[in-house]
Amino acid sequence: MKPLPTEPGTGSNAGPIGLLGGTFDPIHFGHLRLAVEAREALGLVNVCLIPAGNPPHRDTPMSGADHRLAMVELAIAGNPDLQVDDGEVRATQKSYSVLTLERLRAKFGPARPLVLIVGADAFNGLPTWHRWESLFELAHVAVANRPGFAPHERCWPGELAPALADACRRRLTREASDLASAPAGRIMPFDMTPLAISASLVRDLIRAGHSPRYLVPDTVLDYIDLHQLYK
Ligand code: ATP
């Protein structure tokens, strides 16, 4: 019989937990493949999707936080490997990843490996994040390739911002076992199926009167239609 999925922080399984933050405006198959392929490539127990309530690095999302949270819940329904954390949606302050990681570190305890999953575009912008160097004290960072951004082999570390290149030189690993053997502190690139899907593309298609079908789950598409989002 298949064992019941481990609820983060409450189960006996002490393997690494993946954390995937995003605006999810709306969630699409690029996000979902990122979560699934990260789990497999990095040996994660599960991946927790964390929709931003009030993202500091970008314009106000087009859809409200409750809609974006609802779409994430629909998208992951039935997959016990994926979970959702509504902490940022419920919070009143800006959605700084470092604050979320502090909250989750307190929840999971000091020994549990946590892995923050980001795409290459988000990783390149890491030095602009609030207290970005503290992120490595709280979690590992795993970086996926993304179409439109140079593959890791070519851009690392030379083409990164100097401070990020320096962090990569000190923290780089290509072994998933390094993520399991420490609670935080490593940077690991990994490859996923390249998918040139973005939430902006989905929004643009809808705004132009085209269908985003097969770029987002059907349940998400139905929700978008029902609530007349992104028109
Ligand atoms: P937008 O187009 O509105 O900027 P987005 O598609 O980049 O949105 P976000 O919610 O901002 O989606 O992304 C959350 C995380 O998922 C980021 O770390 C981002 O790099 C990653 N990500 C999103 N889409 C992909 C993709 N197709 N391939 C790899 N990573 C992705």
Side-chain angles (χ1 to χ4, degrees):
M1 194 174 81
K2 199 176 170 201
L4 286 172
T6 312
E7 177 66 21
T10 59
S12 57
N13 189 336
I17 293 172
L19 306 171
L20 173 56
T23 313
F24 302 117
D25 191 23
I27 189 165
H28 53 69
F29 282 128
H31 296 127
L32 291 164
R33 287 304 305 175
L34 174 59
V36 165
E37 295 194 30
R39 195 182 86 81
E40 292 180 345
L42 308 175
L44 308 175
V45 176
N46 49 32
V47 174
C48 187
L49 283 73
I50 311 171
N54 184 3
H57 292 285
R58 50 184 297 151
D59 297 338
T60 307
M62 281 201 65
S63 291
D66 286 338
H67 280 317
R68 291 182 288 105
L69 174 64
M71 289 188 279
V72 170
E73 284 170 342
L74 285 170
I76 67 170
N79 185 343
D81 298 332
L82 303 184
Q83 306 192 335
V84 62
D85 177 288
D86 66 359
E88 292 190 7
V89 167
R90 302 283 162 238
T92 48
Q93 83 249 36
K94 283 211 176 267
S95 303
Y96 291 117
S97 295
V98 69
L99 300 182
T100 298
L101 289 180
E102 283 173 346
R103 173 173 61 83
L104 294 173
R105 176 53 72 200
K107 173 179 170 181
F108 293 122
R112 188 68 176 252
L114 299 178
V115 182
L116 181 67
I117 302 161
V118 295
D121 56 314
F123 183 71
N124 291 350
L126 211 67
T128 65
W129 292 19
H130 183 52
R131 291 173 49 207
W132 73 278
E133 281 165 308
S134 302
L135 297 172
F136 301 111
E137 290 157 26
L138 295 160
H140 303 292
V141 178
V143 190
N145 54 300
R146 186 168 185 180
F149 295 85
H152 308 309
E153 297 72 33
R154 270 195 277 138
C155 72
W156 282 30
E159 293 175 28
L160 297 171
L164 195 54
D166 184 51
C168 284
R169 279 187 204 97
R170 286 182 286 121
R171 301 179 180 282
L172 190 66
T173 181
R174 293 180 190 276
E175 301 297 329
S177 56
D178 286 338
L179 306 183
S181 60
R186 306 305 297 263
I187 296 174
M188 176 154 170
F190 70 100
D191 289 318
M192 65 173 280
T193 307
L195 291 169
I197 308 174
S198 66
S200 328
L201 170 67
V202 173
R203 295 194 301 270
D204 288 349
L205 286 171
I206 296 171
R207 204 177 299 118
H210 299 299
S211 170
R213 195 160 188 204
Y214 308 129
L215 298 176
V216 302
D218 284 349
T219 49
V220 172
L221 188 55
D222 290 346
Y223 186 95
I224 289 171
D225 286 344
L226 180 67
H227 295 276
Q228 294 285 295
L229 304 180
Y230 310 114
K231 297 277 185 207

